[in-house]
Amino acid sequence: MGMHGILVQQQRLLEAIILAALAASASAAEPTNSSCIRTCGSLQIPYPFGTTEGCYLDPAFLITCHDSTPFLRRGHIKVLNISLDGELRVTTPIGHDCPNNETTSSYNYELSLLTFSVSYTRNKFTALGCDTYAIIRGTLEKQNFATGCISVCSKIDSVVNGSCSGIGCCQTSIPHGMKNFRVVLRSFNHHSKVGDFNPCSFGFIAEEKAYNFSSLDLINFQNRKTLPLVLDWAVGKETCPDAQKNSTTYACNAEHSECENSPNGPGYRCICRSGYEGNPYLSNDCKDINECEISNPCNTTCTNIPGSFKCDCPKGYEGDGMKNGTGCRLIVTRYRSIPLLLGIGIGFLVLLVGASWIYWGLKRRKLIKLKEKFFKQNGGLMLQQQLSNFEGSVEPAKIFSTKELKKATNNYDESKILGQGGNGIVFKGVLPGNKAVAIKKSKVFDRSQTKQFINEVCLLTQINHRNVVKLLGCCLETRVPILVYEFITNGTLFEHIHYKSHLFSLSWENRMKIAVESAGALAYLHSEASMPIIHRDVKTANILLDDNLTAKVADFGASRLISLDETQVNTLVQGTFGYLDPEYFHSGQLTEKSDVYSFGVVVAELLTGRRAILSDKTEGERNLAMYFVSSVIEDRLLQILDNHIVNEGNIEELKEVANLAKKCLSVRGEDRPSMKEVAMELEGLRNMKKNPQEKVDLKTEETKYVVTNSTQSFSIDAGTSNSSTVTTTVAYDGTIKGR
């Protein structure tokens, strides 16, 4: 820990000791000293806040007034405004990183609050720059967390004023209950390519409404030092029921006041009841509101009553008398009104039944037409034509109806959810015949790719490889097409490697088997399918396992089309951070060699048992690929291998596999082997272990695939999308929360 960190810890400890000592003598009684100063400069300081002892509720509410400038407690946080609604507006510094400026090269700031929390509804974390990634770190209830965003752009003309979508500016939300944080700023290329119009990166947590992004900020934001920040304040750490048990410390002293729990962390607040206004922390300060004078709510005579009002209708009239209510209506004599009311009631009932019948009929007809509209828009007629001309040994794609899938998932019951992310939700369904399937509901669909989507559905349903999750069909009667896959029973490879419930379940022999099968599946998609298919998101979470631990590669092909639309092309990075080809950040293109790189990360994960994003308190986040390659080069492989496989695996075989993974993780794509070469070499290593006396020629050994014979061919243009930013939230256990 550096000297700065030691000083910060000592300052926090000293402030905590002072607050604890003062709190021991503080009480919830309101101040009786009439000389209490309630202003500092232009700031009004209402109780429970105060500037001197005896004028505030407890030390947490101390305001220090120095040269007519108010500060929170005895620190350096300047106070801008205090609201009895539970909000405190203060100033917060702006972090910056200027790689080419020796005088102000870097300023990473932190904020530590002992009692109050940063408002997660009023503030946002924002980063500015064209070569920037920014991270917030902190603790929540003794648990570490980290979140952040990336902002990249190549020229200032591509920046849109007022938009923090990732081009020049990115934003992300902050977690609930955050009391302390640190903002860290870094750049990818030290601003070497964008320095003429963006010499620095900036990052800050500030009130969302207080900042509106402008392209000029990329050049001259250095002149801005602070921005407003909204804090949520509350009394103590107890809930309302617990606080009310002790009348001497309970803060809601005012008559007609009531208590509410703090929405952002521990503690409670006091509010005046409906119909009253004032300071609920002072006795007799919640005053009755005279609604009759303020809002004039009545059509007739208005009478103010404590906490409310009433409107009086004239004699012979009935109703609430309110302008926004039923008003006043003439009272009809009882006996004369019976036939009239009976006739009106029967007529209304007939009208209601008829209207309901017409309504439900029209609604059903509208629903049918809407399904037909979506079916045509999503290429249903094209798919029907393709299937009518289909000739092949493999069962063609099936077109499911919305009724079938709703029944299979019990109307998409939450208990059927297998997983969900930024692109959609996957449900488990059971079709007639007790056949389990995985049903993927995506969020968006690029309609310009409809023809390509239909061609891919037809193509992918013909893939019959034992290590590829089979696409069974789709439903086109919804706004976004729904895909139906075979259901794989034993979870993901990620879960088997990392979750405690699967600890010790994967031997080295099983890991080698999974690596060989996954490589073979990817090689098949690249080389043996009727049209080459690039996966684009190879990771352990997309490799499924069945009951026999047979690997099944998932989430490829048509699902990639559904997950993109025109509004996302320039804002979403394809693939997952930690597995992503480094060449992608420069070219914006994903190739077959990108899958090879991602597979190299998977093998590294199998060997080390570590996640794609490593995390610890001292070194922060590290990319597993870089960590693994450096360990192999520096001959530190045995130090990073998973303990569960070192004793059972052949060390030479482990080194061979590690060297192959290192080749896959080459920075330049042209230096990586093809996926077919990787599959052949892994299969060769596995065969040598099974038959150590036999020599296997890796150059001629072929990986066997199941190739479906079909006379049907399809034309596909598998496109890619340029992207500029990714927003990723990483917990300190290393789990990737966003994509």
Side-chain angles (χ1 to χ4, degrees):
M1 179 183 296
M3 182 60 68
H4 173 72
I6 296 174
L7 292 175
V8 170
Q9 282 195 351
Q10 290 177 345
Q11 182 180 357
R12 292 177 183 170
L13 180 60
L14 180 60
E15 187 176 5
I17 293 172
I18 294 173
L19 285 176
L22 291 173
S25 61
S27 70
E30 64 185 78
T32 57
N33 189 351
S34 60
S35 63
C36 289
I37 299 173
R38 290 297 169 194
T39 60
C40 179
S42 60
L43 177 70
Q44 295 294 320
I45 307 174
Y47 187 78
F49 291 87
T51 58
T52 56
E53 187 172 355
C55 295
Y56 48 75
L57 177 64
D58 64 50
F61 296 91
L62 170 63
I63 300 295
T64 301
C65 189
H66 181 70
D67 292 338
S68 298
T69 302
F71 296 94
L72 181 60
R73 293 190 285 274
R74 305 186 188 278
H76 301 285
I77 301 176
K78 183 179 177 181
V79 180
L80 301 176
N81 184 56
I82 301 173
S83 169
L84 287 174
D85 292 333
E87 290 187 346
L88 190 69
R89 206 161 178 256
V90 300
T91 60
T92 183
I94 298 171
H96 61 265
D97 177 40
C98 305
N100 300 315
N101 190 326
E102 295 182 358
T103 59
T104 59
S105 60
S106 179
Y107 173 60
N108 300 325
Y109 74 91
E110 62 182 291
L111 179 67
S112 179
L113 303 167
L114 293 179
T115 54
F116 302 157
S117 301
V118 179
S119 174
Y120 66 96
T121 59
R122 297 287 304 279
N123 303 297
K124 287 282 188 181
F125 175 61
T126 304
L128 310 180
C130 286
D131 182 23
T132 300
Y133 64 93
I135 299 171
I136 330 167
R137 295 194 183 116
T139 56
L140 294 173
E141 297 180 356
K142 300 181 181 180
Q143 178 183 0
N144 295 326
F145 79 92
T147 184
C149 66
I150 295 175
S151 179
V152 180
C153 55
S154 58
K155 54 185 179 179
I156 200 166
D157 293 342
S158 62
V159 175
V160 179
N161 289 334
S163 172
C164 278
S165 59
I167 305 175
C169 173
C170 65
Q171 279 186 334
T172 189
S173 300
I174 61 174
H176 174 279
M178 184 175 73
K179 284 187 170 61
N180 65 81
F181 63 86
R182 187 183 185 201
V183 173
V184 180
L185 290 163
R186 295 291 183 267
S187 58
F188 293 104
N189 298 303
H190 304 289
H191 289 258
S192 58
K193 298 180 181 180
V194 298
D196 56 338
F197 63 89
N198 176 223
C200 302
S201 299
F202 303 95
F204 49 84
I205 297 178
E207 185 179 10
E208 184 176 11
K209 294 180 179 179
Y211 176 72
N212 187 35
F213 171 63
S214 168
S215 60
L216 296 177
D217 294 340
L218 297 176
I219 302 173
N220 59 13
F221 205 69
Q222 298 98 314
N223 300 326
R224 196 145 182 193
K225 303 301 180 184
T226 63
L227 281 168
L229 177 73
V230 179
L231 306 180
D232 288 330
W233 63 266
V235 178
K237 295 184 178 180
E238 298 175 305
T239 61
C240 289
D242 291 335
Q244 289 165 351
K245 294 176 183 178
N246 191 341
S247 60
T248 61
T249 59
Y250 184 51
C252 302
N253 289 317
E255 185 181 5
H256 308 303
S257 68
E258 57 188 25
C259 180
E260 65 176 12
N261 292 325
S262 171
N264 189 14
Y268 65 93
R269 298 172 183 168
C270 304
I271 59 173
C272 290
R273 291 189 183 126
S274 177
Y276 296 87
E277 62 183 1
N279 189 332
Y281 299 92
L282 299 175
S283 60
N284 301 320
D285 202 65
C286 283
K287 308 293 185 182
D288 176 53
I289 300 172
N290 191 334
E291 293 89 352
C292 294
E293 293 182 359
I294 295 174
S295 58
N296 190 23
C298 301
N299 274 325
T300 58
T301 304
C302 179
T303 303
N304 186 62
I305 58 176
S308 186
F309 64 94
K310 65 176 182 177
C311 302
D312 298 316
C313 287
K315 186 176 180 180
Y317 289 81
E318 62 183 358
D320 59 16
M322 295 178 59
K323 291 179 179 178
N324 296 326
T326 60
C328 294
R329 58 186 177 274
L330 182 65
I331 299 175
V332 181
T333 304
R334 178 180 177 185
Y335 298 106
R336 293 181 180 178
S337 62
I338 290 177
L340 177 62
L341 292 176
L342 186 60
I344 292 175
I346 295 174
F348 178 76
L349 182 61
V350 172
L351 183 62
L352 181 62
V353 172
S356 299
W357 183 82
I358 295 173
Y359 170 77
W360 289 111
L362 291 175
K363 187 174 182 180
R364 184 172 179 275
R365 184 178 178 184
K366 183 179 179 180
L367 183 60
I368 293 173
K369 286 188 175 182
L370 188 61
K371 289 181 180 179
E372 292 175 351
K373 175 186 174 183
F374 288 147
F375 186 81
K376 293 177 181 178
Q377 287 181 347
N378 294 332
L381 299 179
M382 187 189 313
L383 180 58
Q384 285 180 333
Q385 183 178 2
Q386 296 269 26
L387 296 179
S388 65
N389 298 327
F390 179 81
E391 295 180 5
S393 58
V394 179
E395 183 179 352
K398 180 178 178 181
I399 301 177
F400 293 90
S401 67
T402 54
K403 183 178 180 181
E404 288 179 288
L405 299 189
K406 282 185 178 181
K407 183 178 180 181
T409 59
N410 193 19
N411 200 20
Y412 298 105
D413 189 272
E414 289 186 0
S415 64
K416 302 290 185 180
I417 294 178
L418 297 174
Q420 55 186 323
N423 292 330
I425 305 177
V426 179
F427 294 84
K428 180 182 179 181
V430 180
L431 298 176
N434 206 29
K435 181 177 182 180
V437 292
I439 299 171
K440 182 171 184 179
K441 292 184 69 176
S442 298
K443 293 182 178 179
V444 290
F445 179 56
D446 185 358
R447 299 204 182 280
S448 66
Q449 301 288 320
T450 299
K451 183 176 180 181
Q452 182 181 345
F453 167 71
I454 295 301
N455 285 340
E456 286 210 16
V457 168
C458 292
L459 171 64
L460 296 176
T461 51
Q462 294 182 69
I463 293 178
N464 192 25
H465 193 282
R466 68 188 299 269
N467 300 119
V468 176
V469 176
K470 185 171 180 58
L471 176 65
L472 303 177
C474 60
C475 174
L476 304 176
E477 294 179 350
T478 54
R479 186 179 300 278
V480 176
I482 300 174
L483 300 175
V484 181
Y485 295 90
E486 66 172 318
F487 176 69
I488 309 302
T489 54
N490 207 3
T492 68
L493 177 57
F494 180 90
E495 295 167 345
H496 280 265
I497 295 176
H498 302 296
Y499 286 178
K500 291 183 180 180
S501 60
H502 294 285
L503 205 58
F504 307 111
S505 62
L506 285 182
S507 63
W508 168 241
E509 182 180 353
N510 284 330
R511 297 187 192 207
M512 187 67 174
K513 171 178 174 289
I514 292 168
V516 169
E517 292 174 344
S518 302
L522 292 171
Y524 169 79
L525 294 175
H526 287 184
S527 307
E528 303 296 330
S530 58
M531 287 294 292
I533 298 173
I534 302 173
H535 191 291
R536 295 186 176 91
D537 196 14
V538 177
K539 57 183 178 180
T540 52
N542 282 338
I543 298 175
L544 309 182
L545 302 176
D546 65 11
D547 291 334
N548 298 319
L549 295 181
T550 300
K552 301 277 189 176
V553 176
D555 201 13
F556 62 93
S559 62
R560 198 64 56 224
L561 286 177
I562 289 183
S563 66
L564 297 176
D565 69 358
E566 293 179 0
T567 63
Q568 292 179 310
V569 166
N570 291 321
T571 60
L572 292 180
V573 170
Q574 296 186 57
T576 302
F577 190 66
Y579 300 85
L580 198 56
D581 184 355
E583 285 193 335
Y584 174 76
F585 290 104
H586 302 289
S587 65
Q589 301 292 322
L590 292 175
T591 66
E592 294 177 357
K593 291 301 182 73
S594 301
D595 282 355
V596 176
Y597 181 89
S598 302
F599 180 76
V601 181
V602 170
V603 175
E605 215 167 328
L606 281 168
L607 285 168
T608 64
R610 301 172 186 262
R611 307 187 180 192
I613 295 294
L614 300 178
S615 170
D616 56 58
K617 296 180 181 179
T618 57
E619 300 185 32
E621 293 74 22
R622 297 183 299 176
N623 187 285
L624 174 58
M626 298 170 60
Y627 177 71
F628 180 81
V629 170
S630 64
S631 298
V632 174
I633 293 175
E634 296 168 9
D635 199 21
R636 293 187 291 106
L637 178 63
L638 294 181
Q639 299 177 23
I640 67 170
L641 286 177
D642 192 332
N643 293 333
H644 306 310
I645 65 172
V646 171
N647 296 329
E648 62 173 289
N650 183 300
I651 299 301
E652 292 303 318
E653 182 185 19
L654 292 173
K655 289 182 177 180
E656 290 285 347
V657 175
N659 283 322
L660 177 59
K662 182 173 73 72
K663 293 178 185 177
C664 296
L665 294 173
S666 298
V667 175
R668 297 194 313 167
E670 60 190 36
D671 295 335
R672 304 169 200 156
S674 68
M675 203 65 240
K676 189 171 184 179
E677 291 170 337
V678 174
M680 290 167 56
E681 186 164 347
L682 283 173
E683 183 66 34
L685 290 172
R686 189 182 182 205
N687 288 338
M688 281 193 292
K689 181 179 180 181
K690 290 181 178 179
N691 305 291
Q693 303 301 324
E694 297 181 11
K695 294 184 179 180
V696 180
D697 186 353
L698 298 181
K699 294 183 179 180
T700 59
E701 181 70 17
E702 294 290 341
T703 302
K704 296 185 173 70
Y705 307 111
V706 179
V707 182
T708 303
N709 295 323
S710 175
T711 59
Q712 186 75 8
S713 63
F714 304 91
S715 174
I716 298 178
D717 178 17
T720 59
S721 301
N722 293 326
S723 306
S724 298
T725 185
V726 61
T727 299
T728 306
T729 302
V730 184
Y732 268 101
D733 63 357
T735 306
I736 298 176
K737 304 294 184 185
R739 293 179 58 181

